Amino acid sequence: MNAPGSPVSATPAPPARSMVASWKFWAAIGALVGLVALFTFGFTKDPKIVPSPLVGKSAPPFEVGRINGPGRISLADLKGTPVILNFWASWCVACRDEAALLQAAYVKYDQGQHKVRVIGIAIQDTPDRALAFAQHFGKTYFLGLDDAQGDISLNYGLYGVPETFFINGEGWIHCKQIGPLTEQRIDEEVAKLQSAAKGERCGS
Amino acid sequence: MRVLNVSRRNGIRRLACALLALGFALWMAALPAAALTPEEVEQRVMTITDGLRCPTCQAISVKDSEASFSTEIRDKVRRMVEEGQTDDQIKAYFVTRYGEWILRAPPKRGLGLVVWALPGVAVAGAGGAIAWSILRGRRGRAARSEAAAGAASSALTTEQRERIQADLKRYEEED
């Protein structure tokens, strides 16, 4: 069977418009690039680092008994002195390295002269386990324990450990550190605590 | 009394009843709220905690989360409900301490407004685009059928006829 010859002649078809020349093509490409850029930016942000609304405001009151010794302490008692309020737990792995740094800060600023008070509050913990941790990692400063309802944790808007609040002498929260402290961070923020400046995240 | 005719007396009676009812209602409202039953408490706790984000997990609600902070928040909410606090007061407590992000529903302000409005706008936009393309199609079809009708009414030109004949003949020969 012979193939048909030239096809039925008709008016020649209009030349196909190049896809690349169409504005719709470029609009779609632009939208795609924009979307990818947006996602890339979004994924670089850590959703756990959320600024605390308590920064710059009066620190919520607390009152707690000491687990590594006698006595009680409340925020009101500490008025007039800057406070490093550290929340920790015996089951918190990141708190282990931090323990030595806080102890060093206690020796440097708190012990004796009480230039800055270092207070640790264990959360979701038991006195025995908290004490065992403290003894093992050498924490001798004032350690308290939050109650079973987590009243102090919730009052401070805690959502993990360790979290540390730097409170100035007037009782305002200067900044909040989410995650373990470093020696540099402690020294920086203690220096700032002496001034009236209010930070946001510690280090900012 | 002759001064008050029957209808006036009835009117006064009705007014007195209305005032009494209003007074009673105001007195009831002033009474402290009756204690909620345990079921009512749990219901409210579920509703409120469903609207709060688990601070540790962040992607699920406090109601659904097993995390220790969520358990503490649930218990705290229950205590606040039993104390008689309103949903707004309870939510405000957490927003003050955690920030707006603790609420699962985005705030109806600023960027949050965009999030609320976007689905409706998108559906309306899509609906509009579909409607427009249908209408354009209809108009296009109407135009095309007119053109076709026009074409059919005009006879083939001689040149076209000759070309058709030539093509047909060529096909018949090739077969």
Side-chain angles (χ1 to χ4, degrees), chain A residues 96 99 129-139:
Chain A
R96 295 178 184 174
R129 282 192 231 132
L131 269 173
F133 181 102
Q135 269 153 25
H136 190 265
F137 291 98
K139 304 206 312 183

Side-chain angles (χ1 to χ4, degrees), chain B residues 33-163:
Chain B
L36 298 165
T37 67
E39 292 84 24
E40 283 168 348
V41 168
E42 276 322 296
Q43 189 55 49
R44 278 192 61 202
V45 170
M46 296 253 277
T47 318
I48 297 169
T49 56
D50 193 39
L52 295 174
R53 192 186 305 275
C54 165
T56 328
C57 340
Q58 298 192 351
I60 54 179
S61 69
V62 164
K63 179 180 85 131
D64 295 331
S65 170
E66 303 264 328
S68 46
F69 279 109
S70 284
T71 311
E72 285 183 352
I73 292 176
R74 271 199 301 277
D75 291 340
K76 175 90 184 160
V77 169
R78 189 171 297 114
R79 283 198 301 278
M80 292 171 97
V81 167
E82 283 165 356
E83 277 168 24
Q85 300 208 33
T86 66
D87 286 14
D88 282 341
Q89 283 173 314
I90 295 173
K91 282 192 212 159
Y93 175 91
F94 289 101
V95 169
T96 307
R97 286 151 182 80
Y98 285 90
E100 291 267 8
W101 64 269
I102 196 81
L103 296 176
R104 289 179 68 224
K108 290 181 178 150
R109 292 185 320 274
L111 199 62
L113 208 59
V114 175
V115 175
W116 278 100
L118 205 59
V121 167
V123 169
I130 292 169
W132 181 66
S133 69
I134 289 175
L135 285 171
R136 204 163 66 116
R138 278 224 198 96
R139 265 189 265 122
R141 263 202 301 282
R144 274 198 296 279
S145 58
E146 263 176 37
S153 63
S154 66
L156 290 167
T157 67
T158 337
E159 199 219 315
Q160 285 171 324
R161 242 193 286 260
E162 282 176 18
R163 264 193 15 217

Side-chain angles (χ1 to χ4, degrees), chain A residues 1-6 8-9 47-48 50 53-54 123-124 148-151 153-155 157-160, chain B residues 55-58 68-69 72-73 75-76 79 93-101 163 167 170-171 174-175:
Chain A
M1 177 91 104
N2 291 334
S6 64
V8 177
S9 48
K48 288 213 166 283
V50 187
L54 292 175
I123 67 157
Q124 295 161 19
Q149 283 93 18
D151 276 328
S153 326
L154 292 179
N155 216 7
L158 227 64
Y159 54 91
Chain B
T56 328
C57 340
Q58 298 192 351
S68 46
F69 279 109
E72 285 183 352
I73 292 176
D75 291 340
K76 175 90 184 160
R79 283 198 301 278
Y93 175 91
F94 289 101
V95 169
T96 307
R97 286 151 182 80
Y98 285 90
E100 291 267 8
W101 64 269
R163 264 193 15 217
D167 288 338
R170 197 172 44 207
Y171 276 117
E174 284 172 0
D175 259 348

